[in-house]
Amino acid sequence: MFVFYRCAPPQSKSFSIKCGPNVHYKVTSPAGVRSAAPYPLTPNSVLIVTMDTVSETANDSKVPAVHPIIFQASCCLGSLAEISLDVDADRDGVVEKNNPNKGSWKWGPNGHGAVLLVNCDSETTYKKTLDSEVDEINKVSDLQDMSKMILRTNGPAELPEGYKLTMHISQTTSENVRVFRPRTSNAFYGKYYIMVVGTDTLTEEVPYLGGKTELAFFVEGLRFPDKDFDGLVTINLSLLEPCGKGFPETPIFTDTVVFHISPWIMTPNTLKPVEVYVCSTNDNYTFLKSIKNLVDKCGYKLKICYEYMNRGDRWMQDELEFGYIDSPHHQFPVVLDSPRDGDLQDFPYESILGPDFGYVTRNALNEKVSSLDSFGNLEVSPPVTVNGKSYPLGRIIIGVAFPTATRGRNMTQVVQDFLWAQKVQEPIALYSDWLVVGHVDEFMTFVPAPDRKKFRLLLASPDAGYKVFKSLQKKGHGEAEMFPGLPEVISVNEILSDKKLQAENRYVQNCIDWNRDVLKKELGLDDEDIIDLPILFKVLEEKTGPRAVAYYPDMVNMIVLGDQLGIPKPFGPKVNGRCALETEVRSLLEPLGLKCTFIDDFAPYHKLLGEVHCGSNVLRERSPFRWWNLEL
């Protein structure tokens, strides 16, 4: 209930009160003690007024008339009205009435605070523009991407003369949010929804409809959380009172609501696939056919990016990363476009952005972009618990230079800042600069499992590779050939006698072991949660120093489609007509219920320093865990 009042004369020392029969009041002192008439007029005295029912018309019930003792003139206090700015503060998809927690945010299953989506999709498919960059709401479907906010009033048909309701936000908030409402008259010439506040408009009068009414507003997020933005936005509604000619109105009541913008959330390999993305080039027909057969067998959708769009750039994993945003009333996938900007750079915006499929990117304007900014260098773990702390959405994994290195390549800071600011998948930094390409997906991945933590971490392991080759030699298969039928053919004996190759793989194993220790600590893993795949590397002399590449197709760089794995075909030595490396990998993974399909990517991918995972991407379902229930 709100009281419309005027100030007492400046020389007043005390006052008395008169009111109608359905109006009740009490006066308390600063200490909370009720006073007796005449009441002393002190700065901290509180007059509490209630009514049996709200007013139906202005002045139909007089609230207490205050009579200053020195001056005999009285001041009519007008009418009472109930006004509330409401949001879905309990996060159940319904805008409840006057939730006491609507003005703050608290994480956790018992938390509160409304959720807002960044309106980063495009309702149009021709001449696309992000909806957040369009001045108007042109399609009703766009309202689904916004959060509803309701102004509820219960009072007289109109406010007393000079009083008005205004919505207002801060300058900082105006960069992060816009608020729209339906038009209430024909004065806006065809605009069905008009912007109230946002962008350059910090305050605007909103209509008071009178009686018991509701006026819906639609709140639109404009920016994701980032280094300079914690994701929280505040919107205020004030009742302003006139203070006389020449003076601005002053607020006598303000209602405040708080929203938290949904973070961008990555999806781990353990979530169900929806659609697989891959490029078609003039030299990958066999590879593309193998991918199509695997996807068809799994029953998922396949989207092919053809040459007119990819312009020969086949590295689908490097150009983009799929994630999603989520709120109680709506959610949709969002593609993060990497700053690598190869010939695939137009694909995420031109071919993926659309209705209920968002787009976000980060531009490294003042930083040098390196291979580490490709998103083969951006992964996420399945859900884990580490020393009692739960990460139900998993943890982001990126690759950087070694911590003590005086020079080296790193993922650009603007991308790292964005990933850290999302908060719900706290990142882990691994050392990947020891690789020529420098991506974490060259030595690790995750696959689902039926036991333990419901997944396994797969790591490339030169030690495991040499173990396979030494076993072959010991069993009399030393002359068995690696790369059979290819120009690179070499025997097991020759591989084992290559001292330089052995030294290079000792170095690589040390690099992987360093990362292994980090992953065990940061993901709470035991050795039983890790499977070592037999993969050898070779070291190339780069201008900036020695860096490694896979010696044969890197089997850890696989595509994971539920229990189906698309693994680079290693072209290992054959024993009894079967590849010894494939046999070893099957023996490690098939007991987990996983099915291995080996895909020939040797010419179109491996020889270009990439593999199956580098050349594909997977859109997955969102996690069943709702991010706002995370306890931070």
Side-chain angles (χ1 to χ4, degrees):
M1 295 291 186
F2 311 119
V3 180
F4 309 142
Y5 65 93
R6 296 187 180 90
C7 299
Q11 299 181 36
S12 300
K13 302 297 183 184
S14 60
F15 61 94
S16 62
I17 299 173
K18 293 181 181 180
C19 61
N22 69 328
V23 179
H24 314 283
Y25 72 91
K26 66 179 179 179
V27 178
T28 62
S29 68
V33 180
R34 294 187 66 167
S35 303
Y39 305 102
L41 187 60
T42 63
N44 295 316
S45 292
V46 178
L47 171 62
I48 301 174
V49 182
T50 61
M51 290 181 64
D52 295 331
T53 60
V54 297
S55 302
E56 295 181 359
T57 61
N59 298 318
D60 69 343
S61 296
K62 300 290 184 181
V63 300
V66 177
H67 297 272
I69 298 301
I70 293 178
F71 292 84
Q72 295 302 309
S74 67
C75 302
C76 174
L77 295 188
S79 304
L80 294 177
E82 185 178 15
I83 301 174
S84 179
L85 186 63
D86 294 327
V87 294
D88 178 19
D90 60 4
R91 308 165 184 162
D92 65 353
V94 178
V95 179
E96 66 276 8
K97 184 177 180 180
N98 206 21
N99 188 308
N101 297 314
K102 64 186 179 182
S104 62
W105 173 267
K106 181 182 178 182
W107 292 89
N110 298 314
H112 56 258
V115 176
L116 192 59
L117 299 177
V118 176
N119 194 9
C120 58
D121 67 340
S122 175
E123 297 304 314
T124 61
T125 55
Y126 176 69
K127 292 187 176 179
K128 297 178 185 178
T129 304
L130 295 180
D131 289 341
S132 58
E133 297 175 358
V134 178
D135 293 335
E136 302 175 2
I137 298 175
N138 295 317
K139 291 189 176 183
V140 175
S141 58
D142 198 23
L143 299 178
Q144 186 69 16
D145 303 333
M146 305 182 192
S147 292
K148 197 177 225 184
M149 181 171 66
I150 298 177
L151 171 59
R152 291 186 169 105
T153 58
N154 189 6
E158 52 187 39
L159 297 175
E161 184 178 355
Y163 288 83
K164 63 182 180 181
L165 290 171
T166 64
M167 187 172 291
H168 51 101
I169 57 177
S170 69
Q171 179 69 53
T172 301
T173 298
S174 71
E175 300 171 0
N176 305 321
V177 71
R178 292 191 298 189
V179 179
F180 294 86
R181 69 168 176 86
R183 65 177 183 177
T184 54
S185 70
N186 295 322
F188 298 101
Y189 304 104
K191 291 184 180 180
Y192 292 100
Y193 295 88
I194 58 175
M195 192 183 79
V196 182
V197 291
T199 318
D200 297 324
T201 304
L202 304 184
T203 182
E204 185 69 33
E205 183 176 357
V206 298
Y208 172 81
L209 301 182
K212 188 174 184 179
T213 56
E214 295 185 353
L215 178 59
F217 295 85
F218 298 91
V219 187
E220 173 191 50
L222 301 179
R223 289 181 63 204
F224 282 94
D226 214 326
K227 181 181 180 181
D228 59 347
F229 174 44
D230 63 5
L232 293 173
V233 296
T234 300
I235 301 172
N236 308 288
L237 179 81
S238 291
L239 176 64
L240 301 185
E241 177 190 48
C243 287
K245 188 176 181 179
F247 295 95
E249 302 96 340
T250 57
I252 59 173
F253 165 80
T254 297
D255 211 5
T256 297
V257 298
V258 169
F259 290 88
H260 196 302
I261 289 181
S262 170
W264 178 78
I265 305 169
M266 289 180 63
T267 54
N269 284 351
T270 49
L271 289 176
K272 184 179 179 180
V274 174
E275 188 169 20
V276 175
Y277 290 71
V278 68
C279 288
S280 172
T281 62
N282 61 9
D283 61 352
N284 77 339
Y285 174 80
T286 302
F287 171 85
L288 190 60
K289 184 178 179 180
S290 297
I291 291 288
K292 185 178 185 304
N293 290 340
L294 177 63
V295 173
D296 287 347
K297 181 169 65 175
C298 297
Y300 305 126
K301 293 187 289 184
L302 177 66
K303 186 176 181 67
I304 299 174
C305 175
Y306 292 97
E307 279 193 272
Y308 75 89
M309 176 63 72
N310 67 51
R311 293 171 289 185
D313 185 353
R314 67 199 66 209
W315 308 115
M316 184 64 77
Q317 183 66 223
D318 291 342
E319 183 59 38
L320 57 95
E321 187 67 52
F322 289 116
Y324 67 94
I325 56 178
D326 188 16
S327 76
H329 75 279
H330 193 44
Q331 53 280 140
F332 57 81
V334 176
V335 60
L336 176 63
D337 191 1
S338 82
R340 76 184 275 267
D341 286 344
D343 287 332
L344 258 176
Q345 62 180 333
D346 296 334
F347 179 71
Y349 195 94
E350 295 297 334
S351 297
I352 298 179
L353 171 65
D356 278 348
F357 209 130
Y359 171 92
V360 62
T361 190
R362 285 296 177 266
N363 296 313
L365 300 178
N366 300 312
E367 297 182 80
K368 183 179 179 181
V369 175
S370 74
S371 175
L372 273 66
D373 290 296
S374 297
F375 286 163
N377 197 35
L378 173 61
E379 297 296 322
V380 65
S381 79
V384 291
T385 299
V386 186
N387 296 324
K389 183 176 180 180
S390 177
Y391 298 91
L393 294 168
R395 298 189 67 179
I396 287 172
I397 298 170
I398 63 171
V400 297
F402 195 73
T404 60
T406 56
R407 62 177 183 173
R409 301 166 298 173
N410 276 299
M411 180 178 282
T412 51
Q413 197 61 46
V414 67
V415 175
Q416 291 195 53
D417 289 343
F418 174 80
L419 297 174
W420 274 96
Q422 307 314 304
K423 291 184 180 178
V424 298
Q425 295 175 307
E426 184 181 335
I428 301 166
L430 298 182
Y431 170 41
S432 66
D433 192 34
W434 57 273
L435 290 152
V436 170
V437 177
H439 296 176
V440 293
D441 72 349
E442 296 177 77
F443 62 87
M444 60 156 289
T445 192
F446 298 95
V447 294
D451 56 359
R452 297 186 61 79
K453 295 178 175 64
K454 301 302 180 183
F455 70 88
R456 293 289 192 275
L457 167 65
L458 307 186
L459 288 178
S461 172
D463 283 353
Y466 273 107
K467 183 179 178 181
V468 170
F469 289 116
K470 288 177 180 178
S471 175
L472 288 172
Q473 187 182 58
K474 186 176 180 180
K475 292 178 180 179
H477 301 294
E479 294 303 317
E481 293 179 335
M482 190 77 200
F483 309 119
L486 297 173
E488 294 83 358
V489 63
I490 185 173
S491 72
V492 170
N493 287 336
E494 289 174 304
I495 289 174
L496 292 176
S497 65
D498 190 333
K499 301 301 181 183
K500 180 175 179 292
L501 185 65
Q502 290 180 29
E504 292 171 351
N505 277 278
R506 283 194 295 271
Y507 163 72
V508 168
Q509 187 67 61
N510 288 338
C511 294
I512 294 174
D513 286 346
W514 191 90
N515 288 307
R516 181 192 188 100
D517 290 341
V518 172
L519 288 165
K520 287 175 67 175
K521 176 184 176 183
E522 297 296 337
L523 296 180
L525 303 181
D526 301 318
D527 285 333
E528 292 78 12
D529 299 312
I530 303 171
I531 295 176
D532 295 308
L533 298 189
I535 300 163
L536 299 187
F537 290 78
K538 59 184 177 181
V539 173
L540 306 180
E541 287 297 330
E542 302 274 289
K543 290 182 179 179
T544 53
R547 288 194 171 99
V549 298
Y551 181 68
Y552 47 81
D554 186 352
M555 293 179 287
V556 81
N557 193 273
M558 64 179 69
I559 185 172
V560 180
L561 302 176
D563 61 358
Q564 298 281 345
L565 308 179
I567 305 172
K569 186 176 180 62
F571 291 93
K574 287 188 175 182
V575 176
N576 298 323
R578 299 180 66 183
C579 171
L581 292 172
E582 290 184 18
T583 300
E584 176 68 11
V585 169
R586 289 184 190 277
S587 73
L588 294 170
L589 299 181
E590 289 183 349
L592 299 174
L594 301 172
K595 302 172 181 65
C596 302
T597 299
F598 291 90
I599 296 174
D600 180 0
D601 71 351
F602 194 87
Y605 291 90
H606 172 71
K607 295 185 78 171
L608 299 177
L609 307 186
E611 310 286 357
V612 173
H613 186 259
C614 304
S616 60
N617 218 311
V618 183
L619 173 67
R620 300 181 185 274
E621 292 183 353
R622 69 167 178 84
S623 168
F625 183 86
R626 315 310 289 271
W627 63 268
W628 52 86
N629 289 327
L630 193 65
E631 302 205 44
L632 292 179

